[in-house]
Structures are given as structure tokens and as C-alpha cells.
Amino acid sequence: MPKHPQHRRRGKQALDADDIEWLESTPETTSDDAPPTGDRWSTWDQSTPTEKGPQPYPGWLVTELAAVDTEHGVLKTGKEADVHLISRGVPGTDRVCLLAAKRYRGSDHRLFHRDSGYLEGRRTRESRMNRAMANRTAFGKQVIAAQWAVAEFGALCRLWELGVPVPYPVQIVGTEVLQEFIGTCDGYAAPRLAQVSDGLDDLWKQLVEAMVTLAREGLAHGDLSPYNLLVHDGRLVIIDLPQIVDVIAHPAGPSFLDRDARNVATWFAAKGVTAADPETLTSLLRGEAGM
């Protein structure tokens, strides 16, 4: 059965000294109050209002406290996190929704092979945390995992409100980010762009529009490629956003923006999309970002 923290944190988007107790204690579920079905009670009430997605909540989202979460396996594994498929439903009713639960790994796993570049400027107000992060101690890796989870949830919320095509961010609980499942109602995940060969001209237009919106906000995905873009019913959806970069404030911001542009434009050009040109897209995005 999945474990989840019982200690509730304040609603905020940064870590400080008050989080040390939470990170070190990492309490687990040991209660005998198990749900009648499923693997755990819904964690909806464990998140504060600022740890839940933008309102109004979508009609498909199950928020009832009587709901339970049922695990249906792993959708994706990675060096930093695994994504699990969960159904959240109210027993005895037809109220159910599918969620993708992204769970960042703790101190016993390697975290972000390129995290030093992305973490630039993400120092906390607590010197002990900063030292632990710099030295990659077990506690430091816990801090990093929590920062990535908070960063991804914050990015999803911000981009959703801007109208960028991202999964709806449901909630964050500790180092678990719950978000809308992009796929079919029977649990088949949408394919990555890298697996798609039809409708590429329209998908290119959708992607440029999304990247322009990001650039106008001074942002870049930071690791954009055909492998973190999903295609569902002809709609492009951007995923994997923990490393989103402020291209103005980050010392290497322009290089992240340029790399995103080159990665996707080169792929589309190789697939025969004549409008896709790395230099043209780079110039467009730099202009939109005011660089």
C-alpha cells in the first residue's frame, strides 16, 4: 500500500526551516482505518488550499472525502521519479477519475543527473538545507526531491492558468504530485510525440504557440523534447515540468531556451515539417522573451 505523510505543511511554494521536521520525520500510514476497497483513502483532504489545483475544480475531479485511491501500476519510470496510474472513486457510485501520481524518490535513489544547473537560484532560507543540498547528503537529497515536487506543481498551476496545454494539477502531498491522467478512460496513456507520425504540421503550430506563451512569461521548459510531449485526440500536451526555467533570472536561462527550440524544431524538420527551423524558432522565442 502506498505511504503518504500525515503531517500537513503550510500552503507555500518554497521550503524553509519549518520543513526540516517534516522532511526528517517522514511519517508513514500505520492507521487501521483502511478503506473498504482500494489501496488508501483519498489524500484530497491532506493538501491545503494552496496545495490544490486552480479553481474552479474540473467537473471530472473527485473531491469527496469518502473517495478511495486504487493503484493500477506504473506508467513511467525515471531516474528522479516514477509515475503511477491511480483511480480515485467513491465506492458504490459512478464517481471516479483517473490520475497520474508522480512520486519523486527520496534519499536512497539518485536524483536528477543534471540537477545542479536547474537548481541554480533555488536556495532556501535555511543554511543547513543549503549545505545538505550542496553536499548531496541523504537529508539534502530529500530536500531536493521536495523542491522538485513543489517546483513541478507550481509550474503546472501557473501554466494551466495561462492556458498552456498541460495536465490539470490536482494536488501535491509531500513529494507526490497528482495530476490529470492524459489518455483513454480505460487507462491507456496517450502516446509521446516521438511515437506519432500523423498531423505533425498542426502539432507543430500548437507547440510553437505554447512555447511563445512560455517565452512571453520569461519561461522555458528546460528539457523539452519529443519524449515529454503527449498527443491526445490531436492535442499536444506538455509534461515533465519540474525544471522549468526563468530565462531572465537564471544565469543560463538563454541557453535552456535555445536548447528547447533546437530540440523540437530539429525533430519536426526531420519529420518533414517545412515550417520547423531551429534558428527561426530560437529567434522568435528570444524576441518574445525580450532577450
Side-chain angles (χ1 to χ4, degrees), residues 39-91:
D39 295 293
R40 69 182 186 189
W41 290 108
S42 165
T43 57
W44 180 252
D45 66 336
Q46 294 184 37
S47 298
T48 66
T50 58
E51 294 169 332
K52 295 176 180 178
Q55 296 193 44
Y57 302 132
W60 56 262
L61 180 60
V62 174
T63 60
E64 290 89 335
L65 298 184
V68 298
D69 291 345
T70 302
E71 301 274 340
H72 297 287
V74 177
L75 293 169
K76 177 186 175 184
T77 61
K79 293 184 177 67
E80 303 86 18
D82 293 328
V83 182
H84 298 251
L85 178 63
I86 287 179
S87 61
R88 175 169 289 178
V90 181

Side-chain angles (χ1 to χ4, degrees), residues 22 44 74 76 106-107 109 113 138 197-198 210 240 244 254 270 281 291:
W22 167 66
W44 180 252
V74 177
K76 177 186 175 184
S107 59
H109 289 83
H113 58 297
S197 57
D198 296 327
D240 292 339
I244 194 167
L281 181 59
M291 297 166 56

Side-chain angles (χ1 to χ4, degrees), residues 117-149:
Y118 294 114
L119 285 169
E120 186 76 30
R122 283 192 190 172
R123 292 173 62 84
T124 73
R125 293 188 295 271
E126 170 59 42
S127 60
R128 177 189 171 193
M129 283 186 173
N130 291 328
R131 290 194 302 272
M133 289 166 64
N135 294 329
R136 297 301 191 271
T137 65
F139 174 65
K141 289 181 180 180
Q142 286 181 287
V143 176
I144 293 171
Q147 282 205 344
W148 284 116

Side-chain angles (χ1 to χ4, degrees), residues 161-177:
E161 293 181 312
L162 287 171
V164 176
V166 297
Y168 176 77
V170 173
Q171 65 181 117
I172 180 172
V173 183
T175 56
E176 178 183 78
V177 177

